[in-house]
Amino acid sequence: MYYKIKIEDTVRIPPRRFDEDRIKVAIETLNETYNGRLDKNLGLFICVNEIEELGEGKLIMGDGASYHNVVFNSIFFKPEQQEIIDGEVIEIAEFGAFVRIGPMDGLVHVSQVTDDYITYDAKRGALLAKESNKSLDEGDLVRTRTVAISLKDNSVKDTKIGLTMRQNNLGKFEWIEDAKRKSKKA
């Protein structure tokens, strides 16, 4: 889920950029400062959306830059428990499928792909269902539900997002469409 959050901070504008538009420089500087930061409560910082207030600059002895109090709106991405989210399978492993959900990745464990028995095809790099003949490959578009979230401050690498595709209207888009067609015929 994406959130718009208001933040108050101080932005440093270096002297070499005094002749440029202050708002534009402040947005660029804030984006450089916050880009990729992860906060356990807010989620992953995406970008500065707009600046609401940019205070008058103050100088600090020994530094030629100006410091401005700033109030800005930013966009954060934070997955929520039980959230339904579409994504793309980016990697298949013996233990499951990694799915790109917005700017983060989640894992669908093999036990959460389908109710069917799943095997891993190493040559093809795919997960195969034994009875239903369903397959999951890299590049497939899927609908998942978030079942577990572990956000670690300042580290997207240590973040763990558990996903499932085992319920109705979840899974590979083709599986969902097939299920809809079958239910209309019944």
Side-chain angles (χ1 to χ4, degrees):
M1 180 73 61
Y2 291 91
Y3 294 97
K4 183 176 174 181
I5 297 174
K6 186 183 294 191
I7 297 176
E8 294 181 29
D9 199 356
T10 301
V11 64
R12 179 184 185 272
I13 298 181
R16 64 179 162 68
R17 299 197 70 185
F18 282 171
D19 60 339
E20 298 177 45
D21 181 284
R22 283 187 316 150
I23 298 286
K24 182 181 170 198
V25 173
I27 288 174
E28 288 175 13
T29 303
L30 290 166
N31 277 322
E32 288 169 9
T33 302
Y34 285 96
N35 191 23
R37 282 210 184 161
L38 181 67
D39 181 273
K40 194 173 187 174
N41 297 316
L42 301 176
L44 179 66
F45 175 86
I46 303 298
C47 69
V48 172
N49 195 33
E50 69 175 323
I51 292 189
E52 286 188 8
E53 296 175 30
L54 183 63
E56 193 171 313
K58 295 179 181 147
L59 299 175
I60 296 176
M61 189 79 91
D63 185 357
S66 63
Y67 290 81
H68 303 261
N69 290 330
V70 64
V71 177
F72 61 96
N73 290 313
S74 56
I75 304 296
F76 280 82
F77 175 80
K78 183 178 181 192
E80 298 291 340
Q81 196 78 310
Q82 307 305 324
E83 178 180 12
I84 304 294
I85 191 163
D86 295 343
E88 179 183 359
V89 176
I90 58 166
E91 184 181 346
I92 301 284
E94 193 171 340
F95 53 85
F98 290 96
V99 178
R100 171 92 11 102
I101 51 171
M104 295 177 146
D105 299 336
L107 172 67
V108 180
H109 188 269
V110 288
S111 66
Q112 297 299 310
V113 173
T114 181
D115 291 334
D116 205 346
Y117 180 77
I118 299 287
T119 59
Y120 174 67
D121 182 346
K123 278 187 199 173
R124 189 170 141 195
L127 296 175
L128 308 172
K130 190 172 185 175
E131 292 176 24
S132 63
N133 292 324
K134 293 177 180 177
S135 68
L136 191 63
D137 297 276
E138 281 186 29
D140 286 343
L141 299 177
V142 295
R143 178 161 294 145
T144 63
R145 183 171 58 81
T146 308
V147 292
I149 301 168
S150 174
L151 297 180
K152 306 286 185 200
D153 273 341
N154 296 326
S155 179
V156 176
K157 292 177 186 174
D158 293 334
T159 295
K160 295 185 180 15
I161 302 170
L163 306 169
T164 186
M165 300 190 317
R166 281 185 66 164
Q167 290 143 346
N168 291 335
N169 296 312
L170 296 181
K172 191 173 163 178
F173 288 160
E174 288 85 6
W175 303 348
I176 296 169
E177 290 303 315
D178 288 345
K180 286 179 184 177
R181 274 185 247 123
K182 286 178 185 175
S183 70
K184 283 182 182 178
K185 288 180 183 178

